[in-house]
């Protein structure tokens, strides 16, 4: 049972960290480390099984990641084709296809390089594998914890429901993606009214883009009012251009209304965890909930969110990648 001590300690650290603040990326890393160490601990117990059963489990343990990786690669390429067909050829829509091609590229590299029997090439491939493994680990941590974070439910009353803006259609119309956020915010508003509590302020947040005729906040407010929300229950924040500005400028309005405010922030489910990290960074007193998104859109959207999170923590991530490259290069040179 000693093998389970480390995963138990990591799980305890995860619980403590999440209890203090569920919006930390550290929680995602602890979640991933807990799963990996727990899986390793289970493998250590295989030795207690009969020989044939142990060999079967070990074979499955090594085969499953390989087959799973290939299946994910194929899925991402297929999703990339769907994204291009439905959303166009913009660079952001190519992410899932590029990720899928990258997976098969790595598999091909690991098959082909050993054929050259070159210590230098083998070392370079091993170093690249280390860096890719680190990035893949972070992505899986992000994906798993983002899924868990998205299961959060709004508990108790809030003073404000902040709805984050996105691009408008035709310069002044709310697109389906944004309408999903507004419907989710309206549900939170109506649920609080149904409990007999005071109505929260629906705070629409989004400035005017260069290709838009009105501010996103204005279009969002008009949509809510057209859906039956009283105009006096809607407030606009129409200066922001980024998610971080959404948080900062909305926080100013909420503090002016009530220094002890409590809020919930609404965005799409793929964006919820990153928005939560930005809410923590900017000192917004509230959790983030996600609204539904078309399934075909999720893989590219999650990859885009991960890239943004990775870059926001670039000092740590690039330092670790640099260290892995240095270790790999040193080992390669020593072996040549």
């Amino acid at each position: 049972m000693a093998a389970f001590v480390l995963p138990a300690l990591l799980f305890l650290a995860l619980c403590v960290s999440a209890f203090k603040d569920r919006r930390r990326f550290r929680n995602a890393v602890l979640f991933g480390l807990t799963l990996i160490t727990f899986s390793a601990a289970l493998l250590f117990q295989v030795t207690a099984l009969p020989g044939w059963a142990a060999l079967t489990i070990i074979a499955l343990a090594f085969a499953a990641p390989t087959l799973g990786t290939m299946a994910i690669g194929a899925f991402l390429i297929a999703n990339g084709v769907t994204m291009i067909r439905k959303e166009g050829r913009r660079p952001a829509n190519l992410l899932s296809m590029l990720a899928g091609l990258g997976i098969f590229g790595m598999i091909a590299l690991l098959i082909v390089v050993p054929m050259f029997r070159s210590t230098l090439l083998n070392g370079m491939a091993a170093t690249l594998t280390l860096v890719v493994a680190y990035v893949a680990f972070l992505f899986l941590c992000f994906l798993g914890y983002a899924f868990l974070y998205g299961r959060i439910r709004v508990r108790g009353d809030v003073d404000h429901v902040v709805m984050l803006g996105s691009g408008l259609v035709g310069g002044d119309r709310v697109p389906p993606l944004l309408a999903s956020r507004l419907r989710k915010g309206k549900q939170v508003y109506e649920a609080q009214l149904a409990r007999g509590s005071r109505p929260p302020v629906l705070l629409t947040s989004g400035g005017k883009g260069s290709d838009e005729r009105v501010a996103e906040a204005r279009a969002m407010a008009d949509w809510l009012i057209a859906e039956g929300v009283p105009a006096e229950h809607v407030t606009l924040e129409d200066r922001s251009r980024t998610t971080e500005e959404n948080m900062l400028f909305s926080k100013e309005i909420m503090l002016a209304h009530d220094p002890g405010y409590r809020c919930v922030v609404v965005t799409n489910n793929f964006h919820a965890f990153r928005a939560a990290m930005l809410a923590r960074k900017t000192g917004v007193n509230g959790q983030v909930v996600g609204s539904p998104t078309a399934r075909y859109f999720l893989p590219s959207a999650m990859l885009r969110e991960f890239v943004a999170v990775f870059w926001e923590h670039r000092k740590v991530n690039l330092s670790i990648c640099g260290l892995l490259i240095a270790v790999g290069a040193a080992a390669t040179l020593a072996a040549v």
Side-chain angles (χ1 to χ4, degrees):
M1 297 302 291
F4 291 97
V5 172
L6 180 57
L9 290 174
L10 287 168
F11 180 70
L12 178 62
L14 169 62
C15 292
V16 171
S17 181
F19 178 76
K20 289 181 178 178
D21 197 327
R22 290 173 288 187
R23 304 171 296 177
R24 295 174 172 175
F25 188 70
R26 179 173 68 187
N27 299 341
V29 176
L30 287 171
F31 174 73
L33 289 173
T34 300
L35 288 182
I36 288 175
T37 54
F38 181 72
S39 300
L42 286 177
L43 280 177
F44 278 121
Q45 308 309 307
V46 169
T47 54
L49 297 175
W52 64 269
L55 287 174
T56 301
I57 292 174
I58 291 172
L60 287 174
F62 285 97
T66 302
L67 295 175
T69 299
M70 294 177 69
I72 291 170
F75 167 76
L76 288 173
I77 291 173
N79 177 257
V81 173
T82 302
M83 282 293 294
I84 291 171
R85 182 163 48 85
K86 293 191 175 185
E87 301 289 336
R89 297 177 180 272
R90 290 181 302 163
N93 296 335
L94 302 177
L95 280 178
S96 56
M97 178 176 286
L98 292 174
L101 292 172
I103 287 173
F104 283 109
M106 277 299 302
I107 292 173
L109 182 72
L110 295 177
I111 293 173
V112 171
V113 165
M115 297 179 182
F116 290 93
R117 301 181 182 279
S118 167
T119 302
L120 180 60
L121 287 178
N122 285 334
M124 292 173 64
T127 301
L128 179 60
T129 302
L130 281 176
V131 174
V132 170
Y134 170 71
V135 176
F137 167 71
L138 286 185
F139 176 67
L140 292 175
C141 290
F142 172 79
L143 197 63
Y145 189 75
F147 175 80
L148 292 179
Y149 187 87
R151 307 278 77 75
I152 289 176
R153 296 289 180 268
V154 179
R155 296 180 179 178
D157 294 343
V158 295
D159 302 296
H160 294 81
V161 180
V162 182
M163 286 161 285
L164 305 185
S166 66
L168 302 176
V169 175
D172 60 0
R173 298 194 311 276
V174 170
L177 191 77
L178 184 51
S180 173
R181 301 180 185 185
L182 296 173
R183 275 191 289 272
K184 182 70 174 181
K186 187 168 176 281
Q187 287 174 8
V188 175
Y189 166 86
E190 290 173 342
Q192 188 158 316
L193 288 182
R195 293 195 297 268
S197 303
R198 67 187 184 282
V201 174
L202 294 176
L203 177 50
T204 58
S205 178
K208 179 177 177 294
S210 58
D211 58 343
E212 294 170 338
R213 291 198 291 268
V214 298
E216 294 165 7
R218 179 71 268 168
M220 295 160 69
D222 290 343
W223 189 97
L224 289 167
I225 293 168
E227 290 291 311
V229 177
E232 61 269 21
H233 293 170
V234 181
T235 297
L236 279 67
E237 180 287 296
D238 57 6
R239 295 184 294 153
S240 55
R241 295 170 296 175
T242 64
T243 302
E244 187 166 350
E245 288 184 354
N246 285 142
M247 299 295 181
L248 287 169
F249 297 153
S250 295
K251 176 184 165 186
E252 288 179 9
I253 293 172
M254 291 186 288
L255 283 173
H257 181 264
D258 178 8
Y261 76 92
R262 180 172 178 262
C263 76
V264 63
V265 180
V266 181
T267 185
N268 287 91
N269 48 14
F270 65 83
H271 188 229
F273 182 40
R274 179 171 166 248
M277 287 189 285
L278 288 171
R280 179 177 181 270
K281 177 183 176 182
T282 54
V284 171
N285 182 25
Q287 296 294 336
V288 180
V289 297
S291 65
T293 307
R295 290 183 181 179
Y296 77 86
F297 195 82
L298 283 174
S300 283
M302 291 302 298
L303 285 167
R304 190 166 62 245
E305 291 297 302
F306 171 71
V307 170
V309 170
F310 185 92
W311 190 247
E312 285 166 6
H313 296 82
R314 57 186 174 275
K315 289 184 179 179
V316 173
N317 289 324
L318 294 180
S319 295
I320 292 175
C321 288
L323 178 62
L324 291 174
I325 291 171
V327 169
T332 300
L333 291 174
V336 172

